[in-house]
Amino acid sequence: MDGLRLRTKGRLDPVDLRTDRPHPARVYDYLLGGKDNFPADRSAAERGLGKAPGLRDLARANRAFLTRVVRAAVEAGVRQFIDLGTGIPTSPNVHEVAGGHTPGARVVYVDNDPIVATHARALLTSAGDTAFLLADLRDTKAILDSPETRALIDFDEPVAVLCVALLHHIPDEADPRGIIERLTGAVAPGSLLALSHLGADLAPAQAAAISAGAAQDGVTLIPRDRETVSALFTGLDVLEPGLVPVPLWRPDTPVWDDEVARTWIYGGMAVKP
């Protein structure tokens, strides 16, 4: 057991970090060029790069997609965000993007990795209208009812729910669509859902290889085809340009065909009617 302790209701509880096993948030941090990862994470990432050399491009494109959807949410008048699977803090973070466009934006960051928690509480929750919640996406009630969420989020007003590069870590038996339905069912009309998801049909051979390699490392990674990912937006109105490879979602600069080919992850945003 590693020496980290997390504070819970005034006491310090020891946490088993299992740094000997890769964690998606820390693998993602390594792919983005971050330093908050461990040998197991780096080894898993390098094995993935051996199967799909464009993984770093994919991670960067996904991060840029997050920035654009936050900006689009602010432009739509949304001032509240729940960022699920936030990962190791990487600037610009959600509150930095939102706060750069509107004062008073409020953000609840959620992740299930205790190491993310230590970094997030040090770097993200000092920003004012932000909070961090250590929770698993599958426990939607804990996320929605937590004191951290209730202190910042007014569920009578629109909320942007961000589920970026997360649902492909949720197995079918955990019902990803049901998770999304519970989350979007709790927010007001006019709320937004933004998600990205590895596309099994965009690069079938690479997707299969990466999924199999992750399973050997004990990590769930399930690319899904466009039809399956589209179904996650059931009951919502998908906004233009629809569900597309993330470089094509409202790009800031021209997008080249080879960039799209390297980035086999879908992204989209929808509004609750």
Side-chain angles (χ1 to χ4, degrees), residues 145-169:
D145 293 345
S146 74
E148 293 88 347
T149 302
R150 292 291 170 174
L152 285 180
I153 303 299
D154 180 355
F155 284 97
D156 292 327
E157 298 293 332
V159 181
V161 178
L162 310 177
C163 201
V164 175
L166 179 59
L167 289 170
H168 45 237
H169 295 298

Side-chain angles (χ1 to χ4, degrees), residues 43-67:
S43 295
E46 288 296 338
R47 285 192 292 273
L49 286 164
K51 297 178 174 65
L55 277 183
R56 281 199 172 93
D57 294 325
L58 189 152
R60 294 188 190 106
N62 183 71
R63 190 72 190 181
F65 166 76
L66 172 63
T67 296

Side-chain angles (χ1 to χ4, degrees), residues 219-244:
V219 174
T220 299
L221 187 63
I222 306 173
R224 296 180 172 99
D225 62 27
R226 188 178 187 279
E227 181 179 359
T228 304
V229 178
S230 293
L232 297 169
F233 287 120
T234 298
L236 308 174
D237 296 332
V238 179
L239 302 175
E240 292 295 332
L243 183 68
V244 295

